[in-house]
Amino acid sequence: GNLRDIAAYPSSPDSVGVDEVQTALLKVALPHLIIRINEVKDWAKVLSVGEQQRIAFARILLNKPAVVFLDEATSGMDEGLELTLYRLLRAELPQSIMVSVSHRDTVEQHHERQLNLFGDGAWRLDRLTTAR
């Protein structure tokens, strides 16, 4: 499909304006894609993993969900971009609950709690002091 359709998902493409999609692409550091918004491509083959992950962040901004599940959502990015995008979500969606699954310790700073799973059903919920 075209980038507008992909960025709007799971909402209907008609429910999201071109200007909104372009603004979201700018916010997630994809300005080079703005002029390609109407191109129909197999974007999974065109975009790098990091660019695909930034499209996912644009989707979050456009759809404004109450709960966001981020599973290795920044694995294809450097830590600076990860920091920028998590801060963007916190600023734009302050009421949304964010749940992250990550092997990166850098993600911890964006959360107040950490769920530790130990196996055999054992777990512990810890309060993090690094959350901002």
Side-chain angles (χ1 to χ4, degrees):
N2 66 43
L3 279 174
R4 181 179 177 201
D5 295 353
I6 290 167
Y9 181 83
S11 295
S12 162
D14 297 331
S15 68
V16 180
V18 172
D19 290 345
E20 290 175 276
V21 174
Q22 290 174 329
T23 298
L25 291 175
L26 277 174
K27 288 180 179 180
V28 299
L30 292 172
H32 60 285
L33 295 180
I34 290 174
I35 61 171
R36 302 178 71 185
I37 198 166
N38 292 315
E39 282 184 37
V40 176
K41 300 258 184 209
D42 184 351
W43 291 102
K45 293 180 181 175
V46 174
L47 302 174
S48 71
V49 172
E51 288 171 323
Q52 290 177 47
Q53 290 175 332
R54 284 181 274 164
I55 292 286
F57 276 82
R59 283 180 178 162
I60 295 166
L61 294 175
L62 292 167
N63 286 286
K64 299 173 179 55
V67 180
V68 179
F69 291 91
L70 300 160
D71 186 1
E72 297 293 345
T74 57
S75 62
M77 302 176 202
D78 63 41
E79 292 176 7
L81 189 53
E82 172 187 276
L83 177 68
T84 299
L85 292 176
Y86 266 92
R87 284 184 174 172
L88 175 66
L89 289 187
R90 287 286 186 210
E92 300 256 337
L93 304 170
Q95 300 304 315
S96 291
I97 296 168
M98 283 199 297
V99 178
S100 295
V101 176
S102 180
H103 289 89
R104 287 179 145 178
D105 293 339
T106 54
V107 171
E108 289 179 12
Q109 66 185 309
H110 307 290
H111 298 282
E112 296 174 358
R113 294 182 188 90
Q114 180 179 43
L115 177 63
N116 292 292
L117 305 174
F118 302 107
D120 295 326
W123 59 274
R124 184 179 70 232
L125 185 63
D126 296 323
R127 180 165 290 283
L128 297 172
T129 58
T130 59
R132 295 178 206 185

